[in-house]
Amino acid sequence: MANRTNMWKRLVRHTGLALLVGSLLAACNLGQQAPPEPVEEQLLTPGVIVPQQEEGGVAPEAPTATPLIQVPPTATPTPELLPWEQIQSITVDGTTHRTQEPVTVRVKRGRAVSTMTCSWVLQDTGQTGALGTPTSTQLDENTFEDVYIFTPQQAGTYSVNCTGIATTTSGQRQVSAVGTPFTVEAKG
């Protein structure tokens, strides 16, 4: 009797396995059938499809290029400068200025700004000139003040422009600032 029970168990196991394999094979054959004729196009180079000649020796229209999808590069945003990485202000001492008299220009800059160059611009003519070497004073742990003195030779409206290099956590960046225009009158 034990022999018969084992035989039935084996028969059920083999039958289940045969049904599973048969179902799997049947599922593989249920997909879409291949076309009865060969495909009429041939891929020669990526993106260009060339049709084969039609019956009668006439070639259809010329090859066409398939458009490629181009993804534009994403720009990495430039981080904002911290106060000690900027030229903070450009001011001119006094309100009345005359030719042949010294003008004092004060530039406040952050501690990370160096290699400063400042120049004056006579806006009426576009003439420019370098301000020269400043006297620097540290105002606090993050701020310096550079004092420039120049003597204007012509009357008109002047402005002062400064540029420098800021050393930031993401590398070196050029920084610049323009002061408020001021008037120089003719001495007399």
Side-chain angles (χ1 to χ4, degrees):
M1 180 90 169
N3 239 355
R4 238 184 201 174
T5 307
N6 284 339
M7 192 165 67
W8 275 106
K9 285 182 180 177
R10 273 191 266 152
L11 180 62
V12 169
R13 192 176 324 140
H14 289 297
T15 305
L17 183 58
L19 284 172
L20 180 64
V21 169
S23 299
L24 183 59
L25 289 173
C28 290
N29 289 330
L30 291 178
Q32 183 179 7
Q33 297 295 322
E37 298 176 14
V39 176
E40 294 292 324
E41 296 176 340
Q42 195 176 36
L43 192 59
L44 295 178
T45 57
V48 177
I49 298 174
V50 180
Q52 301 240 345
Q53 259 189 340
E54 293 180 2
E55 289 182 32
V58 178
E61 57 190 68
T64 58
T66 359
L68 300 175
I69 298 174
Q70 294 184 359
V71 179
T74 55
T76 306
T78 305
E80 290 291 320
L81 291 172
L82 299 170
W84 57 84
E85 299 170 340
Q86 301 176 31
I87 298 173
Q88 298 164 358
S89 66
I90 300 173
T91 58
V92 176
D93 286 357
T95 55
T96 304
H97 307 286
R98 290 190 172 74
T99 57
Q100 314 273 320
E101 295 179 0
V103 174
T104 302
V105 178
R106 298 179 185 277
V107 179
K108 287 187 183 174
R109 62 177 171 86
R111 66 177 158 80
V113 179
S114 61
T115 319
M116 291 283 295
T117 56
C118 293
S119 59
W120 54 264
V121 177
L122 178 55
Q123 294 181 348
D124 306 331
T125 63
Q127 183 181 358
T128 64
L131 289 184
T133 306
T135 303
S136 295
T137 306
Q138 188 167 1
L139 302 178
D140 60 39
E141 69 180 80
N142 290 318
T143 311
F144 284 83
E145 181 180 64
D146 297 336
V147 178
Y148 297 87
I149 297 176
F150 82 104
T151 305
Q153 300 299 312
Q154 295 179 357
T157 303
Y158 286 78
S159 64
V160 174
N161 307 315
C162 295
T163 61
I165 302 295
T167 303
T168 69
T169 56
S170 59
Q172 292 189 334
R173 288 174 52 184
Q174 183 173 352
V175 292
S176 60
V178 178
T180 303
F182 60 96
T183 303
V184 174
E185 298 171 357
K187 188 172 186 175

